[in-house]
Amino acid sequence: MIIDTVFLHKLIDIARVAGERILTIYNQINDLEVLVKDDNSPLTQADLASHHYIEQALTKLTPNIPILSEESPLPEFKVRQHWDAYWLVDPLDGTKEFISRNGEFTVNIALIKNGLPILGVVHVPVGNTSYAGFSTADSRFACKILAGKQLDISARLAQAHLDSGLPLEVVASRHHRAEAVDKLCATINATWGQTQLRAMGSSLKICLVAEGEADLYPRFGPTSEWDTGAAQAIAEAAGGYVLNASGATLGYNQKASVLNPDFFVIGKDIDKWRMLLRDFV
């Protein structure tokens, strides 16, 4: 398997078609049936329609690479720990946004290799927008596809944004905003520069940092690895970073649980952010 822009576009096409399956349900069903999973998270027909299509398409594309999807049974860690590469999929990230019909939901497909996301696609069905990227030993590429037009994207330097007289843009979860986010913003205001907070659903928050439209996404509280893998690959391909509370890169498939620790998505000012976040946490 060669990871390049040709292969990446095959993944974009898979995510786009999955998004079309989601929109078919989103646009036609007024009385949406919502089930509740064992972890109390919601499940809809759209989650399953997307899951079944992506699973089929990835199996056809790379039959020897296992797939870990939010909507498939979780293999035991004694099996998963021997995977050197696997697909990590959230067929519908932001089911609550889907149910509330605000458009802030995505299709997430990531390729994880040796515990790190090296390729990712995040597709936004409402608006038909895709974010994608990959990082290899030889190259790095990140883009946004909007209305059929492909644009290169890059995370930004927060200090340059401040120097232009604009506040730092901080994005936070619409449904899971922690008190710690406000405390962190207060710390940034006091030590670096003014912040402006924006609430949003799904992996779009990470994508905003990747495309240089936001400077920081702090996440306090539980998320799962399939929530972050694809967008993390894009952010890192765009020059950004996804760090745990210790300042190390957020890793995958390292334990039995697929829950992430608290993490921070930042742009290119890694030394400044590490120092600030170290003092905060």
Side-chain angles (χ1 to χ4, degrees):
M1 180 178 63
I2 298 174
I3 295 176
D4 56 15
T5 55
V6 173
F7 185 77
L8 185 67
H9 275 275
K10 292 180 181 179
L11 268 296
I12 294 171
D13 288 342
I14 291 172
R16 180 183 50 77
V17 174
E20 291 172 354
R21 304 288 174 94
I22 291 171
L23 285 181
T24 297
I25 297 168
Y26 186 74
N27 292 331
Q28 293 182 359
I29 295 181
N30 294 321
D31 186 16
L32 186 67
E33 181 182 4
V34 181
L35 305 176
V36 179
K37 297 189 287 188
D38 292 341
D39 63 357
N40 291 321
S41 63
L43 176 68
T44 70
Q45 294 168 283
D47 294 81
L48 296 176
S50 178
H51 161 73
H52 291 311
Y53 172 75
I54 293 171
E55 186 175 54
Q56 180 185 45
L58 289 180
T59 299
K60 182 178 180 180
L61 180 66
T62 55
N64 296 321
I65 298 180
I67 303 166
L68 176 56
S69 168
E70 180 179 9
E71 307 311 339
S72 61
L74 180 65
E76 293 185 15
F77 184 59
K78 65 181 180 181
V79 174
R80 289 189 284 116
Q81 66 180 337
H82 299 294
W83 293 353
D84 61 341
Y86 67 99
W87 293 110
L88 180 62
V89 177
D90 192 339
L92 203 173
D93 180 30
T95 302
K96 291 181 180 178
E97 318 304 333
F98 176 88
I99 294 168
S100 64
R101 306 184 68 81
N102 67 16
E104 294 177 358
F105 53 88
T106 62
V107 176
N108 300 346
I109 303 175
L111 180 63
I112 310 297
K113 187 170 179 61
N114 298 324
L116 295 173
I118 63 168
L119 178 151
V121 173
V122 172
H123 179 70
V124 191
V126 175
N128 191 26
T129 301
S130 298
Y131 297 87
F134 65 83
S135 301
T136 67
D138 300 319
S139 62
R140 191 168 70 179
F141 173 80
C143 71
K144 177 180 181 179
I145 301 174
L146 178 62
K149 183 177 181 181
Q150 180 174 301
L151 306 168
D152 291 344
I153 59 174
S154 178
R156 72 188 180 198
L157 285 164
Q159 187 60 56
H161 198 61
L162 285 172
D163 290 344
S164 68
L166 297 171
L168 297 178
E169 301 278 350
V170 180
V171 284
S173 172
R174 185 181 297 282
H175 296 286
H176 303 282
R177 178 176 161 188
E179 183 180 347
V181 173
D182 296 318
K183 292 181 178 178
L184 176 55
C185 287
T187 297
I188 298 170
N189 291 340
T191 59
W192 193 4
Q194 290 301 304
T195 59
Q196 180 172 293
L197 189 63
R198 178 181 178 184
M200 180 172 285
S202 75
S203 58
L204 282 169
K205 297 181 289 296
I206 302 178
C207 292
L208 286 183
V209 178
E211 66 175 321
E213 292 296 323
D215 301 285
L216 170 68
Y217 166 36
R219 179 59 190 234
F220 303 100
T223 58
S224 295
E225 293 181 1
W226 44 67
D227 295 320
T228 57
Q232 178 174 343
I234 298 164
E236 292 174 348
Y241 300 86
V242 182
L243 308 175
N244 62 27
S246 300
T249 300
L250 187 66
Y252 292 76
N253 201 32
Q254 305 297 304
K255 58 189 188 309
S257 170
V258 293
L259 291 179
N260 290 319
D262 294 348
F263 64 86
F264 305 92
V265 185
I266 60 174
K268 295 180 177 178
D269 311 67
I270 185 168
D271 292 335
K272 178 70 175 184
W273 281 118
R274 272 188 170 143
M275 181 174 64
L276 188 151
L277 296 173
R278 180 192 63 209
D279 293 340
F280 176 78
V281 299

